[in-house]
Amino acid sequence: MKAGSAEWWRARYAARGRQRPRAGGLELKRITRAALEIVDAEGLAALTMRRVAEDMGVRHTSLYRHVASRDELLVELVDHVLGEVVPGATGRGWRADMEQAAGEFRRVLLAHPAVVPLLTMGQLLGPNALRGREFGLGLLIRAGWEPGRAVHIYLTVAHFVIGTALLGTGGAARGVEERTAMTELFAGLPQYPLVRALAEPLNLPDGDQEFAFGLTALLNGMGDPR
């Protein structure tokens, strides 16, 4: 079965329920933490089972009790990163709470740019991912949204965060130099009069400003629970 699929996670949850920790043995959290350190420093290409084992000072065969392959390690790595997301209640209503949770989600993703593309490789079904779903859905339902509407709002916001993180960490990310170059490019293209006229404002907003504007517009467009 494919690592990260619903079937794989079903077997994974069942196995974890039966597994008993060994005194002094490896823990999955230690393995994924070591993997994340490698990926943050050197990128996904540097991540191998042997490299993780070397950095941990253990035999690579010791890892297979927890992850049977690099693909499985990548799935667990994503869920490990999602465990860093710590949303909280603002006390200012459901919109403010969703803004805080979405901002926290984005903060964690931007802190681990090499991991972000992995979020699109399959469904997010690990324990930390489901904890996030539980929090977001609970927040909306307690605010008075009916369950079906709460699901749509939660998924729309989550996908918006992931999409903006992909743009902010991939080849489409725009730094100061890239923005300046784009402004100069637009200014020299008379065949696109509006793009030329708006060359400077088109390149003024940074990623944080674009995210805040988009999220506010998105949540305001949801209206209020009836």
Side-chain angles (χ1 to χ4, degrees), residues 109 148 199:
L109 295 184

Side-chain angles (χ1 to χ4, degrees), residues 192-208:
Y192 305 111
L194 287 177
V195 172
R196 183 183 185 185
L198 299 174
E200 188 171 342
L202 274 172
N203 287 292
L204 279 180
D206 62 22
D208 291 339

Side-chain angles (χ1 to χ4, degrees), residues 3-225:
S5 66
E7 183 182 12
W8 182 86
W9 272 115
R10 190 181 305 116
R12 195 82 167 155
Y13 281 117
R16 287 180 180 178
R18 297 189 301 266
Q19 200 172 48
R20 295 291 178 267
R22 298 176 180 175
L26 285 177
E27 294 180 348
L28 179 60
K29 185 176 291 188
R30 283 185 58 206
I31 296 171
T32 51
R33 188 184 300 123
L36 184 58
E37 289 177 358
I38 294 169
V39 170
D40 280 346
E42 303 176 41
L44 286 171
L47 184 66
T48 65
M49 299 289 276
R50 286 187 180 275
R51 174 63 188 279
V52 173
E54 287 173 4
D55 283 14
M56 296 182 69
V58 300
R59 294 181 178 178
H60 75 277
T61 53
S62 303
L63 306 184
Y64 292 120
R65 180 170 181 263
H66 301 278
V67 281
S69 66
R70 182 179 185 271
D71 286 345
E72 290 195 3
L73 178 57
L74 291 176
V75 171
E76 291 286 2
L77 175 61
V78 170
D79 198 62
H80 176 91
V81 167
L82 296 181
E84 295 183 8
V85 180
V86 184
T90 67
R92 301 194 306 274
W94 74 269
R95 279 193 185 84
D97 285 352
M98 287 297 289
E99 286 178 354
Q100 191 279 336
E104 169 67 0
F105 186 15
R106 178 173 179 267
R107 179 194 67 78
V108 169
L109 295 184
L110 296 185
H112 306 290
V115 176
V116 173
L118 298 177
L119 273 69
T120 65
M121 294 180 64
Q123 300 296 320
L124 304 177
L125 302 173
N128 290 319
L130 296 188
R131 176 180 58 82
R133 291 192 188 212
E134 188 78 8
F135 175 88
L137 293 171
L139 184 162
L140 292 165
I141 289 173
R142 287 192 299 274
W145 290 102
E146 60 91 12
R149 185 70 168 172
V151 167
H152 282 300
I153 294 172
Y154 168 78
L155 291 176
T156 299
V157 172
H159 294 165
F160 173 73
V161 175
I162 293 171
T164 57
L166 282 166
L167 287 172
T169 58
R174 293 183 293 173
V176 175
E177 290 184 3
E178 182 67 16
R179 290 174 185 276
T180 300
M182 288 174 65
T183 299
E184 293 173 352
L185 169 67
F186 294 163
L189 297 174
Q191 65 269 44
Y192 305 111
L194 287 177
V195 172
R196 183 183 185 185
L198 299 174
E200 188 171 342
L202 274 172
N203 287 292
L204 279 180
D206 62 22
D208 291 339
Q209 291 172 321
E210 291 177 8
F211 175 77
F213 179 87
L215 182 61
T216 298
L218 190 65
L219 293 175
N220 286 346
M222 299 296 178
D224 290 297

